[in-house]
Amino acid sequence: MRIGRVEAWWVRIPIEKSRQHRSDFGRIATFDAAILRIETADGIVGWGEGKNAAGSAGSYGALVHMLNHEIGPQLIGRDPRDIAVIWEMLYNGVRHESAALTGHSMPQLARRGLTTAAISAVDIALWDIFGKLLGEPVWRLLGGRKRDRLPAYASGGWASAETIGAQLRSYIDEGGFKAVKMRVGAMDGAPNISAARVQAAREALGPDIEIMVDAHGTYTVAEAKRFAHLVADCDLAWFEEPVIADDKPGMAELRASTSIPIATGESEATRFAFRDLAVLKAADIFQPDPAFCGGISEAVRIATLASAFNLRFAPHLWAGAPCFHAGLHVCAAAASSFVIEYSLGANPMIHDLIEETIDLKEGMIAIPDRPGLGFTISESFLEAHIVKP
Ligand SMILES: [Mg+2]
């Protein structure tokens, strides 16, 4: 069993004007990703995804170049089942033999960002191959599926105080969700404007729908405290990325000052970063993105870390189909998972890139039974949306 071919593309899918939204990331007119295809010498194909931009639109030229010209050649001829060994090889670079023999990591200078995004894409594709080879869904290889459906939350919520209730209510009517997430922070200009939107949402939805808020890391610690104080009576399920990922002590200070659970992690990569969040007591909920944190292997380790610190795990799944399915399989097997992010903004990278339909009923998403990650890429659709260098 050998890897024969590795190919990555920058895929860019336009979003029709009526379905575009605006946030602190600007108006989102496309959904972009690095999509990776790994094929074994005997024809088993696995799909992966790497991410290096927020808000779904962004430039993927460098990541795709890295996958095709630096990472790909190192994979040719390797056994695709050596998933953890390949992960460490890519992370530790030229010193991977020393790292393997001495039992501790020796990563290179560029150990985050594009590097972990590229490792993520490879790792997701290798798990897909391993599952297809054995004829088993990936969740079975990770230890089983705790439920055949997991609760999902509707992720969206950009409307003003006047219309946010109707916008969130439309998600609930559409998908039967019991939990919804709305955006706050810099896009509103000041904490009191965000707070008024959250209060309007709580008033419109009543006490029994969970409401989460996401500031995309745009508050200072002081602003985040003001906001948390203003919405203290709104019974929020979590306050996501209140401050930038580079201010973990600030996040810990905020967490100590409020009863609202703090969620974070979509901008973090590897178990090492999440260890720091845990040790600093900076978060209640870990949200690694499988296409950025280091793939399925690293997401599993981060979920275990959450459990060990009596925290919870709710991965960032505003993503394309390979990353979204990776998250589904990890959550199915993880002790610390409890809810799946389901984007209610336009997401052609999940829905149009694959032949299957995401099975969502009454706010619950089915964990696929099919071998591997359980989706089929529409290769003609992919080809039509490749960004040519
Ligand atoms: Mg977020």
Side-chain angles (χ1 to χ4, degrees):
M1 172 66 44
R2 297 286 164 219
I3 294 173
R5 199 165 164 197
V6 179
E7 262 184 300
W9 303 274
W10 174 358
V11 178
R12 160 164 278 183
I13 310 176
I15 296 170
E16 58 185 293
K17 200 131 203 186
S18 64
R19 300 215 59 208
Q20 295 173 5
H21 71 266
R22 175 174 283 285
S23 75
D24 47 294
F25 297 124
R27 177 169 276 280
I28 303 298
T30 60
F31 209 114
D32 296 67
I35 300 294
L36 175 68
R37 182 184 189 277
I38 298 183
E39 185 171 351
T40 66
D42 39 7
I44 299 177
V45 173
W47 293 93
E49 176 180 349
K51 191 181 288 176
N52 62 231
S56 88
S59 166
Y60 282 82
L63 177 55
V64 164
H65 183 88
M66 188 176 184
L67 283 164
N68 284 328
H69 299 286
E70 293 182 31
I71 303 282
Q74 298 179 61
L75 302 178
I76 303 297
R78 297 289 311 231
D79 189 322
R81 295 167 294 186
D82 288 348
I83 302 175
V85 177
I86 289 173
W87 199 103
E88 295 298 328
M89 176 189 79
L90 296 175
Y91 185 62
N92 291 305
V94 292
R95 297 181 296 183
H96 72 271
E97 294 283 2
S98 304
L101 288 173
T102 56
H104 63 99
S105 296
M106 298 182 193
Q108 304 191 93
L109 291 187
R111 70 194 194 286
R112 296 286 185 275
L114 292 186
T115 301
T116 50
I119 294 173
S120 302
V122 171
D123 186 89
I124 292 170
L126 295 183
W127 278 104
D128 192 24
I129 287 174
F130 195 21
K132 286 170 177 167
L133 173 70
L134 298 176
E136 294 284 356
V138 169
W139 54 258
R140 195 179 300 284
L141 313 182
L142 299 178
R145 174 174 66 171
K146 58 185 180 182
R147 302 273 298 270
D148 55 10
R149 285 180 179 271
L150 288 176
Y153 71 88
S155 186
W158 302 274
S160 66
E162 290 70 39
T163 53
I164 187 72
Q167 185 177 50
L168 298 176
R169 175 59 64 187
S170 74
Y171 303 160
I172 294 165
D173 293 345
E174 189 184 319
F177 300 98
K178 308 281 187 296
V180 295
K181 187 165 87 186
M182 60 183 284
R183 269 62 191 179
V184 298
M187 69 174 208
D188 289 330
N192 68 304
I193 297 174
S194 288
R197 292 176 54 241
V198 173
Q199 282 150 358
R202 175 53 79 204
E203 204 160 301
L205 301 183
D208 297 329
I209 297 288
E210 297 261 50
I211 300 177
M212 300 86 146
V213 299
D214 185 351
H216 294 169
T218 58
Y219 283 138
T220 62
V221 174
E223 286 168 333
K225 284 182 182 174
R226 275 177 79 188
F227 170 79
H229 176 72
L230 289 169
V231 297
D233 59 353
C234 290
D235 191 28
L236 295 181
W238 76 54
F239 183 5
E240 177 171 333
E241 286 202 301
V243 301
I244 53 169
D246 284 329
D247 189 8
K248 293 188 182 70
M251 200 142 359
E253 182 185 334
L254 173 68
R255 182 176 180 238
S257 77
T258 179
S259 59
I260 306 172
I262 303 298
T264 195
E266 68 184 74
S267 306
E268 302 284 7
T270 78
R271 55 198 182 266
F272 304 107
F274 285 87
R275 171 209 58 201
D276 290 348
L277 287 170
V279 169
L280 287 166
K281 299 184 186 297
D284 297 279
I285 295 148
F286 285 174
Q287 301 179 294
D289 185 312
F292 184 74
C293 76
I296 289 173
S297 301
E298 203 67 354
V300 167
R301 296 176 190 123
I302 293 162
T304 305
L305 200 51
S307 175
F309 279 82
N310 200 20
L311 305 172
R312 295 194 294 168
F313 173 80
H316 179 247
L317 299 179
W318 190 285
C323 175
F324 179 78
H325 284 81
L328 279 188
H329 287 262
V330 174
C331 283
S336 52
S337 70
F338 64 108
V339 73
I340 304 287
E341 178 169 26
Y342 188 74
S343 46
L344 267 283
N347 189 338
M349 199 66 79
I350 287 187
H351 301 294
D352 301 342
L353 187 64
I354 59 173
E355 288 169 10
E356 293 79 6
T357 305
I358 305 291
D359 182 355
L360 169 79
K361 279 195 195 89
E362 294 301 306
M364 306 284 284
I365 289 187
I367 308 299
D369 274 319
R370 296 175 291 273
L373 290 170
F375 61 82
T376 314
I377 294 280
S378 167
E379 296 200 39
S380 58
F381 183 85
L382 182 147
E383 268 163 40
H385 294 91
I386 291 171
V387 176
K388 302 281 187 308

